[in-house]
Structure formats: structure tokens, C-alpha cells
Amino acid sequence: MRLAFPLVTGLALVAACGSSSSHGQPGGGDGGPEAGADTGPATEGGGEAGAPAKIEHVVVLIQENHTFDSYFSNWCTGATGSNPTCTSGPSCCEKGPGIDASSGTTPEVLDDTTNAAFDPNHTQACELTEIDGGKMDGYVSSTTCGNAKNFAYADTTLQPYWDLAGQGALGDHYFQPVVGQSSSNDMYFARAQYVFLDNTYEPEAIGAACTINKSTIQYTDPTIADLLETAGVTWAFYSEGYAAMQQAVASGGCPTVVPSDCAFDSDAFDCAYDPSDNPFAYYKSTVDDPAHFKDYASFATDLAGGTLPAVSFIKALDYKTEHPGYGNLITAGIAFVQGALSSIQGSSAAPNTLILLTWDEGGGLFDHVAPPAASAIDHQPYGTRIPVIALGPLARAGTISHVQMEHSSIVKFIESQWLGSTGQLAGRDTVVANIGSLLDPKLGVPEN
């Protein structure tokens, strides 16, 4: 069944007249369907009638700093603590508690106004006290960083995402891979293992001099991008504001024109491209490579031209990522995601494109489910649950997945789909679950 995107009205998914390009061997290795397997209805570009559907492209949309409970507690209808095993619809995921047991407070309504007004402390040191060894009781009552505003559930402002969750596949046991801030978690998209704590470093990259953090670093370890490059598989990271930053730096300065809808009104944070939002900017082999580092405007161009890479990552300017505080509106993030989905579904790539929408970390907001034990690979503690939604005609429509996953699961999926075997980075990609529980089972992508 072909999945529509309720965020985008008046548009139908466009069937391909042919594959937009050739990208290695989709479906190969231990993550692909067996030859001749019946993996779903053929598209116009799928060859013979009854030919298996193929994942030719994956697009990873990375938003910021919201826990599963903060966004989906009021959508899920399963009783708190019931640990449902069913997998179809809102009754198969748990509501968050209606009261914080440690303080007696009730959750704040999370909407544009409250999101814009408050950024919880989300350093590792603070979040460890909130998680409190899995008791999840320090978000309000912790003496070091507790705050009643940390205990917040989204209202119908989130209806567009709730609609997507209902029609796509929602993971309710997808955890941020390490307790702490965005950059440390983003690194798992590139390396599938721990690299540094919190937002300790900026990369040695275009735009670093225009950011607040002046501690820069560069690494030479292999990333999933290096593996793709070696295998001849196309990839790109599309960043909003990247072209403007390039132009400003080439002129010897930093951007001076702040977008009119960016409330924080700063070219050093929130309103301009920040290279720390791209984990591949930290690596010498990939940093600012024009073949792979692209302005977000190029995403629509590549879709229209039939040159969408096999693997794509997308990051908005900070004020459109839904990051709490600084005047940032949830609806601005939803609108950005809506635009990306509209571009995809209006392209020839739509029938063979998997979209994964996730958030980099929980941002210090409350979640009631205890994280797993620290990883045996890098010994780092897991953080809170964050949402992940698989979208498009290749997603497992209407499903709630309870499989434990994280950002490294996406790396494992990319390895299995395009590189023939998993664990090639010798990180968590050797042990985490794959994302098959979010996908149409006819695709044959494993769940582990």
C-alpha cells in the first residue's frame, strides 16, 4: 500500500517513470531481499509486473531536542507502565504519567509558546541526575537541574506529526545513543560510536569561526561516508544556510543577514549554519567536500534532476529544528519537514525512497521509560527515548515498533542495504538492531 503524507495536502505520491539513478546494490547483503522474493507491488520504474520494491534512497531528517513523551504522550493511549506488545495504532504505545511522582506536579502544555520560552539543561551531568539510574524521577526534583518545565507534553500543535506516526511506522524504543547534548549524539550517525562529550568541540570547518564555541577539532577515523565512497555509493548532507555561510566566509566574514523569522536574531547561533550540526564536518576525509556538502536548496534541485543520492541527511537551520528556547517554534520545524516531504513526494524518486524522521536527542525533557544499560561497545550511557518515524511507501504503515534502536541502527541499515555486510565501523553497528521493524516486511530488511 502506498503511504500518503498527511502533512502535505493536495499532492499525491508520484510514481516513477524510471529509477532516478543507479546507486550500488540496494537490497544487497544481509539487509536485502532474496533474489526473486515477492517484496511488494511493482512501480512503473520497477521493471516486470510483480517485481520487488526496492529501497533506492534513504533520506534522514534530523530535528532536535525532544523526547518521545514530550511529543507523543498525548497521542499514545496505552496505559502508563503497561508495556504493550501489540504493534498497531496509538493503543500500542504508552501514555506518559499524568503526574510527576517525585514532586506531584502535572505536565506543562508543550506548544509554540512554551517551546520558545525555555531550553532545559541537557548536559550529560545534568541528565544523569534526572535519569537517576533509571528511576526517571529527577526532571522536576533534581536539586542541580530539575525544573517543572522539563515535565511537558505536546498538545495538538503536534497533530501533523501524530498523523504521520499513524500512517507511517513509529518507534517507541528508539533511544538517544549517549546521555548529553546534540553534537555527541550526532556523531553516532557518522561513526556509530562515542567520539566526545556533549557539545565539547566545533569541527575545523567552514563556519566554525562564526559560532560561539571556539574549541575546534578534526578526526581521521573512518565514517559511514567513507565506506559509501569506497563502494561507489552516492551520499550527501544537505544543510540549510550552508551556501550563505560559504559566501560570507569567502568574503572574510560571517553572515550578517538574519532571517526575518528567526526570533533569536543572532548570526552566531540559531539563525545561521553551524558546522557542528553535520557530524561529517569533523572528519578530514569529508569536511566541506562540495560533492557531498550541499546547501538545502540543492535537495529540491537534485530531486527534480533525478540525481538524489542513495543516502541523504537533511538539517535545517537551528531555529527550524524545534530546539527548545531562543524563540524557536515547533510549527516552524513542522513546516520545514513538510517542505522536505513535499519535495520528495513530488519527485520521480518517491516510490523508492524511505524517509526517516528523528530527533538528535531529548533535550533534557522528561521521559518515563528507563534507558537501556550502557553500551558494551563504548561503555557510554544511553539517554532518553526520542521519536523516530519511517515514512513513504516502503514504511510499515500504521505500526508501532518496540524494538530497541538508536542512531547507530540507521548506520547498520545503510551498511546492510548498500555495503553488503554490517559492523564495518566496528562500533555499535556490530550489536544494535537494524530498522526492519519500521519497514514493509516484504523488503526483507532484518529487525536485528
Side-chain angles (χ1 to χ4, degrees):
M1 161 174 142
R2 184 167 292 167
L3 176 67
F5 295 92
L7 270 179
V8 185
T9 58
L11 288 172
L13 284 171
V14 178
C17 295
S19 176
S20 57
S21 56
S22 176
H23 304 291
Q25 298 295 323
D30 64 354
E34 298 177 0
D38 178 11
T39 55
T43 66
E44 291 183 19
E48 299 177 7
K54 291 183 179 179
I55 301 172
E56 295 188 2
H57 313 275
V58 61
V59 177
V60 184
L61 284 156
I62 307 169
Q63 297 294 93
E64 292 195 357
N65 291 44
H66 285 90
T67 61
F68 186 90
D69 273 350
S70 72
Y71 266 7
F72 286 95
S73 180
N74 283 333
W75 181 76
C76 297
T77 60
T80 306
S82 61
N83 194 26
T85 58
C86 60
T87 59
S88 181
S91 63
C92 296
C93 59
E94 295 183 17
K95 292 182 64 68
I99 190 168
D100 176 63
S102 66
S103 64
T105 59
T106 55
E108 183 172 281
V109 173
L110 181 62
D111 56 17
D112 270 349
T113 299
T114 52
N115 192 79
F118 179 66
D119 179 22
N121 185 326
H122 47 285
T123 59
Q124 185 176 98
C126 179
E127 289 190 348
L128 285 172
T129 68
E130 294 171 333
I131 292 171
D132 192 17
K135 297 178 183 177
M136 314 305 283
D137 61 359
Y139 289 89
V140 176
S141 61
S142 167
T143 57
T144 55
C145 48
N147 192 308
K149 295 179 181 179
N150 294 338
F151 186 38
Y153 296 156
D155 67 355
T156 53
T157 301
L158 255 284
Q159 189 65 52
Y161 284 163
W162 294 350
D163 290 342
L164 286 181
Q167 296 203 12
L170 173 69
D172 73 348
H173 277 71
Y174 187 99
F175 292 86
Q176 68 180 79
V178 61
V179 178
Q181 294 173 307
S182 292
S183 294
S184 57
N185 284 282
D186 286 339
M187 302 307 285
Y188 285 81
F189 288 116
R191 286 282 292 137
Q193 57 194 272
Y194 180 76
V195 179
F196 58 76
L197 177 69
D198 288 331
N199 292 338
T200 300
Y201 301 111
E202 284 281 337
E204 295 178 7
I206 288 173
C210 302
T211 64
I212 295 171
N213 186 356
K214 302 307 178 185
S215 298
T216 62
I217 200 167
Q218 188 174 75
Y219 297 99
T220 58
D221 309 285
T223 69
I224 188 63
D226 295 312
L227 300 181
L228 292 171
E229 188 75 7
T230 298
V233 180
T234 54
W235 71 278
F237 200 109
Y238 297 90
S239 299
E240 192 177 29
Y242 184 61
M245 181 61 74
Q246 284 180 301
Q247 293 167 5
V249 171
S251 300
C254 297
T256 57
V257 178
V258 176
S260 60
D261 58 344
C262 185
F264 194 62
D265 195 32
S266 168
D267 59 8
F269 180 75
D270 218 45
C271 306
Y273 168 76
D274 182 344
S276 71
D277 285 335
N278 181 346
F280 302 101
Y282 287 89
Y283 292 91
K284 185 176 181 179
S285 62
T286 50
V287 59
D288 295 314
D289 180 348
H292 305 296
F293 278 41
K294 299 187 177 186
D295 189 84
Y296 177 62
S298 297
F299 182 66
T301 301
D302 289 348
L303 280 168
T307 57
L308 180 69
V311 177
S312 302
F313 298 88
I314 294 177
K315 194 64 185 280
L317 289 170
D318 280 347
Y319 76 98
K320 298 180 186 178
T321 65
E322 303 151 34
H323 188 300
Y326 313 104
N328 296 340
L329 306 180
I330 293 172
T331 53
I334 291 174
F336 180 85
V337 170
Q338 175 179 351
L341 295 180
S342 178
S343 294
I344 295 167
Q345 71 181 101
S347 76
S348 63
N352 300 103
T353 298
L354 170 68
I355 302 101
L356 298 173
L357 171 62
T358 191
W359 285 255
D360 58 1
E361 46 118 342
L365 292 166
F366 171 80
D367 193 87
H368 79 282
V369 174
S375 170
I377 297 296
D378 55 28
H379 310 292
Q380 292 298 312
Y382 276 96
T384 51
R385 293 186 304 165
I386 50 180
V388 64
I389 311 174
L391 298 165
L394 306 175
R396 190 175 297 196
T399 293
I400 307 295
S401 168
H402 308 305
V403 175
Q404 181 184 314
M405 293 177 284
E406 52 143 297
H407 298 336
S408 302
S409 298
I410 295 176
V411 173
K412 184 168 187 172
F413 163 71
I414 292 169
E415 290 176 322
S416 69
Q417 196 69 18
W418 282 280
L419 301 178
S421 63
T422 63
Q424 295 189 41
L425 291 175
R428 293 193 191 176
D429 53 331
T430 62
V431 297
V432 295
N434 208 318
I435 66 167
S437 61
L438 299 172
L439 307 184
D440 185 334
K442 292 180 181 179
L443 293 167
V445 177
E447 297 185 8
N448 50 40

